[in-house]
Amino acid sequence: MSMITQNTLLREEPSWLDYLANAINDPQKLLRQLDLPLNQFKNDISARRLFPLRVPQPFIDKMEKGNPQDPLLLQVMTSQQEFFQVQGFSQDPLQEQQSAVPGLLHKYHNRVLLMVKGGCAVNCRYCFRRHFPYQDNKGNKQNWQTALDYIAAHPEIEEVIFSGGDPLMAKDHELDWLISRLEQIRHIKTLRIHTRLPVVIPQRITSALCQRLAASRLNKVLVTHINHPNEIDHTLADHLAPLRAANVVLLNQSVLLKDVNDNAQLLKQLSDKLFSTGILPYYLHLLDKVQGAAHFYLDDKQALAIYHELQKISSGYLVPKLAREIAGEPNKTLLTP
């Protein structure tokens, strides 16, 4: 598809903000749309009070109707298991909720994580920040400027990671403001954007965003969050193509989730499909032990067995790094069979 055709496609589609405004937040409405019996989920619906349900229509459209075990549905549907209190699981598994600068985490030597926006277009039930106090780390220009001042004062910082929430919840003009100021800090070399939004609302990749990234002096990396091959379709591929044309490196990180992607053959399918879409597998994360998500957990022995099988059947460059994040450690911890 030519660049002109892609830009025309992006202009003609409904705005990503329209899809966002109409995201489903009622579990019963979601179940009805998928032709699933409400009485089968009676005890699950109440978990919305622990963590709201939110899922946009483009992501729902990828789910299989009538299938209560659809792997995309399992990632977003409220579950009674979220009420279980499990030893070793906490509200802040990575100890991120204390920061000297609102919305800025300097966990690693040469890079910082900036929580651009607190909200997400989709609420994944396994989210390790589902209890994060976003109200104390608001994504606004006042807090961004405080973070920029910190970054400017620390010459060891070479890379800024836009995170959240989801950083692409910021509008294009807000991202332009942030990127322009980062470009003025001479020791910043790389901008990395961690986002799930292109997967759940592909229309978020606007021509204006692609043009702004193309014009930046910074190295650009966008890390998608895709856990299952069913999340990838032609619409996503079409909307990611202009990013590649803008010299944005596309990587993917997944979370290993029980009953969703805990299968080596399925993970190979995911890597193959990512690669055909122009995305390289980057990380396969072990679940962070956040309270409310224990039903997705796989222990190290199970994870390593799956990973070892994945290595056997995949090309090496399509095998993501199996890793966990440990609070206080200066880098992610890799696990190898």
Side-chain angles (χ1 to χ4, degrees), residues 37-292:
L38 300 187
N39 61 350
Q40 188 175 335
F41 293 85
K42 182 173 59 176
N43 296 326
D44 297 308
I45 290 171
S46 60
R48 66 186 297 190
R49 71 173 184 261
L50 298 176
F51 187 40
L53 181 138
R54 190 182 206 189
V55 54
Q57 190 61 48
F59 196 66
I60 299 171
D61 290 341
K62 300 175 188 181
M63 299 176 187
E64 181 186 1
K65 287 189 175 183
N67 181 7
Q69 297 302 309
D70 179 88
L72 278 60
L73 174 64
L74 292 176
Q75 294 180 59
V76 301
M77 181 59 195
T78 54
S79 169
Q80 61 182 311
Q81 296 179 86
E82 297 176 49
F83 288 100
F84 299 166
Q85 299 292 311
V86 179
Q87 187 174 4
F89 285 71
S90 71
Q91 292 194 358
D92 186 17
L94 302 184
Q95 297 177 18
E96 292 184 332
Q97 296 184 17
Q98 297 296 325
S99 174
V101 177
L104 189 75
L105 299 175
H106 192 176
K107 298 192 288 185
Y108 305 138
H109 175 72
N110 73 323
R111 54 207 184 277
V112 292
L113 188 149
L114 177 61
M115 294 185 184
V116 176
K117 289 290 182 180
C120 285
V122 63
N123 285 346
C124 301
R125 310 313 296 180
Y126 53 86
C127 179
F128 69 96
R129 291 194 183 122
R130 59 184 283 164
H131 305 287
F132 192 83
Y134 289 111
Q135 68 277 5
D136 300 327
N137 297 269
K138 292 182 178 178
N140 54 42
K141 287 185 178 179
Q142 180 179 345
N143 284 343
W144 293 342
Q145 188 59 59
T146 302
L148 290 164
D149 293 342
Y150 177 95
I151 293 167
H154 288 77
E156 74 275 17
I157 299 173
E158 301 172 323
E159 180 176 17
V160 175
I161 302 168
F162 283 0
S163 184
D166 194 308
L168 292 190
M169 291 286 279
K171 296 180 177 66
D172 287 343
H173 70 86
E174 294 177 304
L175 292 171
D176 176 54
W177 187 93
L178 261 175
I179 294 170
S180 296
R181 279 150 184 80
L182 281 177
E183 290 167 337
Q184 295 170 17
I185 302 175
R186 298 186 64 179
H187 54 262
I188 300 302
K189 301 175 182 177
T190 301
L191 169 64
R192 193 190 327 169
I193 301 172
H194 282 203
T195 178
R196 187 127 161 90
L197 238 162
V199 181
V200 298
I201 305 178
Q203 294 76 13
R204 176 60 190 95
I205 305 302
T206 62
S207 55
L209 176 62
C210 294
Q211 290 164 11
R212 180 61 187 89
L213 292 173
S216 179
R217 71 162 181 84
L218 300 171
N219 301 316
K220 287 89 58 178
V221 181
L222 187 138
V223 183
T224 58
H225 176 178
I226 303 172
N227 296 318
H228 194 280
N230 290 357
E231 297 176 37
I232 303 171
D233 59 12
H234 291 300
T235 303
L236 175 62
D238 289 344
H239 282 80
L240 290 178
L243 285 175
R244 298 200 307 276
N247 295 317
V248 177
V249 175
L250 298 181
L251 304 175
N252 183 68
Q253 57 183 357
S254 305
V255 181
L256 188 59
L257 301 167
K258 183 179 179 182
D259 297 328
V260 173
N261 60 7
D262 53 342
N263 177 285
Q265 289 288 345
L266 191 148
L267 289 171
K268 182 185 185 303
Q269 292 173 28
L270 172 59
S271 289
D272 291 346
K273 208 166 181 181
L274 285 166
F275 189 57
S276 68
T277 311
I279 307 170
L280 275 177
Y282 175 39
Y283 274 124
L284 177 61
H285 291 284
L286 275 74
L287 182 78
D288 295 311
K289 292 186 175 182
V290 63
Q291 191 179 108

